[in-house]
């Protein structure tokens, strides 16, 4: 979750309106206000709107939404004359690079924090924990262009951020906190990614750590941005989001030439949409002309074309516009989710219950008639309860989860009865008699199907009672069944039976073995039954 | 007025005595006095008798007092052992000397001169001796009792006496005649068939005595809410579907256009199994959609789509995994369907998070259904669930666009986010040949149950404390 801290004063200055107006409207562009504090608000934005991960980005969107400044924002890009080269040895390691120079910034403690927070949020949302994208910002005055992005030997030494001594890059992976956190991303490579200047001074060891040399301070005015990664598009979007946020903060963007290609472009992307299609999807009366102010409110550029077509220019910082419907959603947001009339869908259909669920309801009704109360245990269980306590062999049809959260939840249940005995155990000190049942999913390997099971405990519980109970249940289900002798170790010998349809065993019942009763920490006699419901469908 | 047999017997005896102690009555009724008092209270409630409670203080001898009552008080025993005079040294060797000397001097029975105790000429009976004699013989008020008490020879106990007397109303009832036949509790078949019950005195039971508590077999309170939702959707024309708990990552994630590097797919959020699932026919369309948006206006996620990742098996993390398969099997409009299924998240279990819980999932697919219809449907649905105020907020889900989070007003809590909804992205529907919009919504129904049942711990829904199930009413007027 990306939670962005919005300082009220800065936000008000950027939005050119008061905080009450802004805070009232902020949830309506798609966010969740987590906390309102004295001087700031903590607001969660969704992972698709990475352009809202900075105060500047939020202010840009809010100015549009509130009608203070609408349409496509313009971000001119000057030329820095600085060049960058990429070492071909980085192919297969971390081949993509984006960069820019931003000049004329003024930093204080708070704005440095804010820039770091934007980087962290982008590392999470686009960078996938720095694997896809990693960001470095550097004080440009501390280094000398041109810059080189190289695949370096692992024993190259430099002073990493927050350290005073030189370390080898290998050492950083074990001895530096950031190194330990992200070591897994590079550990397997023979050479490590490294950014150096004309004098071979180190700027950054992406995606692990920057050099101490280029640390941003309150004296910094000009910065060099590097974004490295494994995905060209993600790198490009990240550069755009950071550059435009810093431009909103008052910086001037200048391009860098990377192996002859000018970066960043910050040019909008054009898409042609059909206003009628938008009206049809949303169910609101927008037209080619009336859609334009709605689009501009969301900071798109828009101009009418022929028929119902509209040319939409999508600002470079929007990473979420993949499809026309992504633009239609913004039209709906501009329209206001709470201004929709909310007409019911006209679709006429006749509802139909799932036969398995219907059977479950009927079986439940019979069980209730027999004095049993329904319980709804978990489907995740463990071998101890399912087999060991029941004195039954471990089923080879049981599916175990790979990384269980606890020893209690290691497998999907294959039977219901053990779960019922667990519930009786938890209710040991409640008034007797207790008669409980459950209808629910069990798994035979990957196949899910339904069973019913019941269990009862009280001083007089015996085989006659359970035989009579299962007999009544089977009579209500009107299917030819027979009872055969069985040797289920969970039940007492000679006080149990198997329920069969033809030669297939579909259920069991009996008096629970005293050792099973004790294993579940129970004391009075316990009876139980269990039935596969598939054969009754 | 229906009297118990015991009340009647009491009244009969009382009429003879007019007024008597409970003990006397108990003797005559061959009962213990406690029962007599109980019956008298019943009758007093009907104004047939009057009860007087008399509390009297009674003196009785302590163990030491008993001893002295027989052998004489220490001062008497010692004085009688003296003949004329005795040296103090010798006198103090008497076992009772310590107690006796003080009293003997106080009474003037001895005079001590030059270490010699001289006995007085006459030794009259003291008040203490008279009182001791009186109490020992069972008399009550006695002067001098105060000293005996402080000497620890007498103690006081309270004696409660119940005096019961018949009232004029009681007297009148007895005069009219009382039926003393034994009362019948449970009727027998013979009594009913023969009509002999008419000649019997049938016990009338007191409604003041609470009945024995019995518990009906019943539906679980949570199931009742699930059933209510299910009925509601069936009424609204939806068809029900269900499916396997174990799903391929293909159906759970890829078919829903969840990128393969999405954090929700990682091991720490999703339960994976050591089983691989086959990919369905036509899986290449999903690959194309992820890589470049297939034949739609979408750009796709870019990068390479890995079929091996899609073959992994998971415990379904949402019932949307079932919805998309239902749509793939029913691609012709109209479709209105729902499922109420358990879903699984790899969460640490605490009062508000469980590794498994129920999710309600619904879809509407038809020509020309709109986002406006979706909002209308959500409003209707939540109204029927008992939430009268509903509002909407933009949201994000990887497989819907536009996406919306409905919020409902709950008194005491404010606006509560309750589920998510949206229109399935074209990237989701196009590979299955679905060209109409699909309105979809999901709801963690256990949260609704928590609100409705007033629970603070989700685990209570599944742990089934039998007392809680027994004490939760099956029906509560809304």
């Amino acid at each position: 979750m990306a939670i962005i801290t919005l300082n009220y004063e800065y936000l008000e200055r950027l939005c050119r309106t008061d905080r009450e107006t802004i805070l009232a409207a902020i949830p309506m562009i798609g966010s969740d206000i987590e906390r309102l504090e004295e001087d700031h608000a903590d607001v969660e934005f969704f992972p698709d709107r990475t352009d809202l991960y900075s105060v500047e980005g939020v202010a840009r969107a809010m100015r549009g939404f509130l009608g203070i400044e609408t349409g496509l924002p313009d971000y001119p890009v000057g030329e820095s004359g600085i060049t960058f080269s990429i070492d071909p040895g980085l192919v297969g390691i971390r081949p993509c690079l984006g960069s820019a120079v931003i000049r004329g910034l003024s930093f204080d403690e708070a704005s440095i924090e804010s820039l770091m927070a934007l980087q962290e949020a982008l590392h999470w949302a686009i960078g996938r924990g720095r694997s896809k994208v990693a960001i470095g910002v550097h004080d440009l005055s501390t280094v000398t262009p041109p810059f080189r992005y190289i695949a370096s030997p692992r024993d190259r030494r430099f002073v990493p951020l927050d350290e005073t001594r030189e370390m080898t890059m290998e050492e950083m992976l074990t001895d530096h906190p950031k190194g330990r956190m992200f070591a897994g991303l590079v550990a397997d490579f023979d050479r490590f990614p490294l950014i150096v200047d004309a004098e071979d001074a180190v700027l950054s060891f992406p995606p692990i750590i920057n050099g101490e040399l280029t640390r941003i301070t309150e004296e910094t005015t000009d910065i060099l941005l590097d974004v490295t990664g494994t995905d060209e598009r993600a790198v490009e979007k990240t550069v755009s989001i950071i550059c435009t946020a810093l431009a909103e903060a008052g910086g001037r963007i200048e391009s860098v030439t990377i192996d002859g290609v000018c970066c960043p472009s910050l040019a909008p992307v054009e898409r042609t949409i059909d206003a009628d299609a938008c009206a049809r999807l949303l169910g609101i009366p927008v037209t080619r002309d009336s859609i334009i102010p709605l689009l501009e409110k969301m900071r798109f550029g828009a101009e009418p074309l022929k028929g119902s077509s509209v040319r939409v220019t999508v600002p470079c910082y929007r990473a979420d516009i993949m499809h026309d419907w992504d633009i239609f959603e913004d039209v709906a947001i501009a329209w206001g989710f709470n201004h929709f009339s909310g007409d019911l869908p006209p679709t006429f259909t006749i509802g139909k219950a799932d036969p398995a669920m219907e059977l479950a309801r009927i079986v439940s009704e019979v069980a209730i008639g027999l004095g049993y109360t329904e319980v709804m245990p978990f489907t995740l269980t463990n071998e101890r309860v399912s087999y060991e306590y029941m004195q039954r062999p471990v089923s080879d049809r049981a599916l175990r989860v790979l990384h269980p959260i606890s020893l209690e939840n290691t497998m999907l249940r294959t039977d219901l009865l053990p779960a019922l005995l667990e519930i009786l155990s938890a209710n040991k000190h409640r008034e007797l008699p207790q008669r409980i049942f459950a209808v629910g999913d069990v798994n035979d390997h990957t196949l899910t199907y339904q069973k019913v099971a019941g269990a009862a405990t009280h001083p007089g519980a015996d085989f006659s009672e359970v035989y009579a109970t299962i007999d009544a249940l089977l009579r209500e289900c009107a299917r030819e069944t027979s009872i055969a002798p069985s040797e289920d170790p969970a039940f007492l010998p000679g006080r149990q039976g198997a329920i069969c349809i033809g030669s297939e065993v579909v259920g069991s019942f009996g008096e629970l073995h005293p050792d099973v009763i004790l294993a579940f920490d129970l004391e009075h006699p316990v009876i139980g039954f269990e039935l596969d419901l598939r054969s009754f469908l | 007025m229906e009297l118990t047999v015991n009340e009647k017997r009491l009244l009969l005896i009382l009429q003879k005595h007019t007024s008597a102690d409970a003990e006397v009555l108990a003797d005559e009724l061959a009962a213990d006095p406690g029962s007599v008092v109980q019956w008298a209270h019943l009758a007093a409630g009907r104004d047939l008798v009057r009860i007087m409670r008399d509390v009297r203080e009674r003196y009785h001898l302590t163990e030491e007092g008993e001893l002295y009552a027989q052998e004489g008080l220490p001062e008497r025993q010692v004085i009688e052992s003296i003949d004329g005079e005795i040296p103090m040294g010798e006198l103090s060797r008497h076992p009772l000397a310590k107690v006796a000397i003080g009293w003997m001097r106080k009474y003037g029975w001895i005079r001590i001169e030059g270490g010699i105790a001289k006995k007085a000429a006459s030794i009259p009976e003291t008040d203490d001796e008279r009182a001791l004699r009186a109490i020992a013989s069972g008399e009550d008020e006695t002067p001098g009792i105060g000293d005996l008490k402080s000497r620890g020879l007498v103690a006081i106990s309270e004696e409660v006496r119940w005096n019961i007397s018949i009232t004029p109303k009681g007297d009148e009832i007895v005069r009219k005649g009382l039926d003393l036949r034994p009362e019948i509790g449970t009727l027998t078949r013979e009594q009913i068939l023969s009509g002999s019950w008419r000649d019997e005195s049938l016990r009338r039971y007191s409604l003041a005595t609470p009945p024995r508590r019995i518990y009906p077999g019943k539906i679980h309170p949570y199931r009742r809410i699930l059933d209510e939702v299910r009925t509601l959707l069936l009424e609204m024309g939806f068809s029900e579907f269900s499916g396997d708990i174990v799903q391929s990552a293909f159906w759970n994630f890829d078919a829903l256009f969840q990128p393969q590097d999405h954090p929700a797919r990682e091991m720490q959020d999703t339960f994976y199994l050591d089983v691989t699932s086959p990919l369905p026919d036509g899986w290449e369309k999903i690959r194309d959609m992820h890589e470049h948006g297939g034949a739609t206006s979408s750009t796709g996620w870019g990068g390479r789509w890995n079929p091996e990742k899609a073959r992994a098996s998971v415990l379904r993390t949402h019932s949307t995994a079932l919805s998309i398969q239902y749509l793939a099997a029913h691609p012709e409009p109209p479709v209105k369907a729902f499922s109420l299924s358990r879903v699984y998240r790899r969460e640490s279990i605490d009062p508000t998070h469980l590794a498994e819980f129920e999710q309600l999932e619904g879809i509407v697919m038809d020509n020309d259904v709109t986002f406006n219809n979706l909002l209308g449907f959500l409003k209707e649905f939540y109204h029927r669930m008992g939430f009268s105020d509903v509002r909407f907020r933009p949201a994000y889900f990887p497989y819907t666009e536009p996406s919306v989070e409905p919020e409902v007003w709950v008194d005491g809590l404010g606006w509560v986010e309750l589920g998510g909804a949206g229109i399935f992205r074209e990237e989701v529907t196009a590979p299955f040949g679905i060209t109409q919009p699909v309105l979809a919504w999901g709801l963690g129904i256990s949260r609704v149950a928590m609100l409705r049942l007033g629970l603070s711990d989700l685990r209570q829904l599944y742990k089934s404390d039998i007392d809680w199930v027994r004490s939760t009413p099956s029906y509560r007027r809304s």
Side-chain angles (χ1 to χ4, degrees), chain A residues 31 323 358 379 403 430, chain B residues 344 346 356 393 426 465:
Chain A
S31 70
H323 186 279
E358 283 300 285
T379 54
H403 302 277
R430 304 302 192 196
Chain B
Y344 299 80
R346 198 171 170 280
E356 53 179 298
R393 225 157 33 85
E426 203 186 357
D465 178 327

Side-chain angles (χ1 to χ4, degrees), chain A residues 378-422:
Chain A
F378 288 124
T379 54
L380 284 170
T381 181
N382 57 69
E383 289 185 14
R384 194 165 31 93
V385 167
S386 302
Y387 307 115
E388 190 188 317
Y389 286 3
M390 296 295 283
Q391 310 192 112
R392 286 172 171 167
V394 175
S395 166
D396 58 359
R397 308 303 292 167
L399 269 186
R400 287 158 194 82
V401 298
L402 282 178
H403 302 277
I405 206 94
S406 78
L407 291 175
E408 297 296 305
N409 311 304
T410 56
M411 56 167 269
L412 280 174
R413 67 188 181 195
T414 51
D415 303 288
L416 287 177
L417 190 55
L420 296 186
L421 298 180
E422 260 191 314

Side-chain angles (χ1 to χ4, degrees), chain B residues 69-85:
Chain B
Q70 285 167 28
E71 297 178 359
L73 286 167
E75 59 269 29
R76 176 65 62 185
Q77 290 186 45
V78 173
I79 200 74
E80 279 176 0
S81 72
I82 302 172
D83 192 13
E85 52 178 61

Side-chain angles (χ1 to χ4, degrees), chain A residues 420-442:
Chain A
L420 296 186
L421 298 180
E422 260 191 314
I423 289 180
L424 287 181
S425 180
N427 285 285
K428 187 178 170 181
H429 301 294
R430 304 302 192 196
E431 208 175 320
L432 298 179
Q434 290 176 14
R435 294 186 174 86
I436 57 172
F437 81 98
V439 181
D441 287 345
V442 294

